[in-house]
Amino acid sequence: MRLLLLLLSLTGWGPPGSLGEGIPQETIPLSATSPHFDEEEKYSTHMPQHLRCDACQIISYQMWKHLSEVETKQQSHRAKGASLSESEYTDVLEKACSQSWKNYGVHEVNKVKRFVGPGLENSVGISVMMTGGPWPGRLFKMCHNYLGELGEDQLYREYRQGGRGALERLLCRGTCPEEEAPGQGGFLQKEL
């Protein structure tokens, strides 16, 4: 309901006495279209190259979030700052990768496709996000590839040493464009 009122107020439509009253009718109308996917984006089992930077940020966020939540819960039973056991962090990272990934989708703004969801900066006004389809499976696969390539031990060690930023630098190394590279004032600084 609030979104409807906001949209009505921005477009100048609405019943008398509503939030939209007094806004000139010449305001620019808002519009959004669904993304147009090419063959690779529709059918490939792999994450398209142009979405890998967003995907590694999503995965590092989810790993960080899951590990942080479990460590916070464990603090009531252990000394503050105590590490998780190997079996605990292995389970947590497996759960982070095996989730449904349903909160993520792709939108297109000015002919550029980007992921949208928790852990990413979503500063675009109005857009249409496409969820489901191949995106959850691709995030699942990419996350498990990180577990296989880097191993849970290295991922947890990076998390313990530098939190989300360290995980992001490890996972996104060589994936994100130079201006968005972790630790260089790009997307990581926006999130912090």
Side-chain angles (χ1 to χ4, degrees), residues 88-105:
E88 289 172 325
Y89 67 73
T90 299
D91 286 346
V92 171
L93 290 169
E94 178 63 36
K95 286 178 185 172
C97 287
S98 296
Q99 65 180 292
S100 68
W101 301 101
K102 66 181 179 181
N103 294 325
Y104 295 97

Side-chain angles (χ1 to χ4, degrees), residues 127-144:
S127 67
V128 176
M129 177 174 90
M130 299 295 290
T131 59
W135 307 116
R138 290 174 181 163
L139 288 167
F140 175 93
K141 182 177 181 178
M142 195 170 166
C143 190
H144 278 89

Side-chain angles (χ1 to χ4, degrees), residues 38-186:
D38 62 24
E39 296 299 309
E40 177 190 22
E41 294 163 337
K42 287 180 193 175
Y43 303 115
S44 175
T45 59
H46 300 287
M47 187 66 68
Q49 186 66 37
H50 59 280
L51 292 170
R52 287 186 184 168
C53 182
D54 286 347
C56 73
Q57 292 174 63
I58 290 168
I59 293 166
S60 68
Y61 171 77
Q62 287 297 324
M63 287 179 175
W64 167 80
K65 181 179 157 214
H66 279 75
L67 288 167
S68 297
E69 287 173 356
V70 170
E71 281 191 345
T72 300
K73 288 178 186 175
Q74 296 292 338
Q75 282 183 2
S76 63
H77 306 304
R78 300 180 187 173
K80 187 173 183 168
S83 298
L84 298 175
S85 70
E86 182 179 358
S87 64
E88 289 172 325
Y89 67 73
T90 299
D91 286 346
V92 171
L93 290 169
E94 178 63 36
K95 286 178 185 172
C97 287
S98 296
Q99 65 180 292
S100 68
W101 301 101
K102 66 181 179 181
N103 294 325
Y104 295 97
V106 174
H107 72 160
E108 184 174 4
V109 177
N110 297 329
K111 300 187 190 252
V112 176
K113 294 175 191 98
R114 299 292 304 259
F115 267 103
V116 179
L120 294 173
E121 184 175 311
N122 298 323
S123 60
V124 175
I126 185 170
S127 67
V128 176
M129 177 174 90
M130 299 295 290
T131 59
W135 307 116
R138 290 174 181 163
L139 288 167
F140 175 93
K141 182 177 181 178
M142 195 170 166
C143 190
H144 278 89
N145 284 343
Y146 286 134
L147 291 181
E149 290 173 16
L150 301 170
E152 291 88 347
D153 294 338
Q154 184 178 3
L155 290 165
Y156 186 63
R157 190 170 42 252
E158 290 295 317
Y159 161 78
R160 292 288 294 175
Q161 290 175 356
R164 180 177 177 200
L167 277 172
E168 207 163 273
R169 282 187 293 279
L170 178 65
L171 298 182
C172 299
R173 180 182 52 223
T175 304
C176 295
E178 193 64 32
E179 66 272 6
E180 293 184 23
Q184 296 183 4

